[in-house]
Amino acid sequence: MTRRFFIFLMTLGLFGCDSNLVKDLVLMPEIKSIQLSHFSFEDRQAVFDVSVHNPNPFPLPISKLAGDIKLNNLAIGSLSARSEQNLAAFDTQNVTLPLSLNPDALVNAAQSVLLKGKAEYQFNGTVYTSLGQVPLSKQGELSAQELLRSLLP
């Protein structure tokens, strides 16, 4: 591993960080899972836990997180935050993504859920690293009963 890391550092020094050769040698982080960990209508916030795996023998800094969430095709919230977190080498780490919710859009989406009897959700976002962007995406469907059970204490 030390030899591989040394070769990587030599490549950076010889060709520069923006070289396509360097980007071909570096593996992009992978999204392992996305889960809703907290939802609060009162606080106008939803929090997602995202597991990100770094397959490289060196840490990768996360500089920015961005994304949005839709419920029954209605945009209800967004995320845009700076970060100073590093993804450890050969490790999977959880990154917490707090989304700000639009209360008016959330009310419209809640009405849509009650009318349709289900909630189709879609989260799309991006993690920005020093080596590029990693897209995040999660979609699924919950019945109105499942959604209500998850929101009640």
Side-chain angles (χ1 to χ4, degrees):
M1 183 171 87
T2 304
R3 183 174 182 211
R4 188 175 181 194
F5 187 67
F6 178 73
I7 291 171
F8 174 75
L9 287 177
M10 290 294 295
T11 305
L12 279 177
L14 292 173
F15 298 103
C17 291
D18 291 329
S19 169
N20 287 332
L21 177 62
V22 173
K23 289 184 181 178
D24 289 341
L25 294 175
V26 178
L27 301 171
M28 290 304 292
E30 304 167 22
I31 305 304
K32 295 294 185 181
S33 68
I34 301 174
Q35 294 184 343
L36 177 65
S37 67
H38 176 73
F39 175 83
S40 172
F41 185 78
E42 291 175 0
D43 296 334
R44 300 176 183 175
Q45 188 177 56
V47 179
F48 288 87
D49 288 330
V50 181
S51 293
V52 183
H53 178 72
N54 178 8
N56 296 292
F58 49 86
L60 290 175
I62 297 175
S63 59
K64 183 180 174 183
L65 305 164
D68 60 50
I69 188 166
K70 292 181 180 181
L71 194 60
N72 286 349
N73 289 322
L74 299 169
I76 62 168
S78 63
L79 160 78
S80 182
R82 297 263 176 221
S83 173
E84 294 182 14
Q85 186 171 355
N86 284 320
L87 296 177
F90 295 124
D91 196 15
T92 301
Q93 293 175 242
N94 282 334
V95 177
T96 301
L97 303 177
L99 280 92
S100 300
L101 300 174
N102 177 330
D104 295 332
L106 196 55
V107 168
N108 291 338
Q111 290 172 345
S112 171
V113 169
L114 292 175
L115 288 173
K116 291 183 177 183
K118 64 180 178 179
E120 295 172 347
Y121 62 89
Q122 182 178 5
F123 174 75
N124 291 311
T126 305
V127 174
Y128 295 85
T129 72
S130 58
L131 300 172
Q133 302 173 13
V134 180
L136 301 173
S137 182
K138 179 73 172 178
Q139 58 189 18
E141 184 178 304
L142 296 170
S143 70
Q145 290 98 359
E146 290 173 313
L147 188 60
L148 288 173
R149 266 187 258 132
S150 69
L151 297 176
L152 296 175

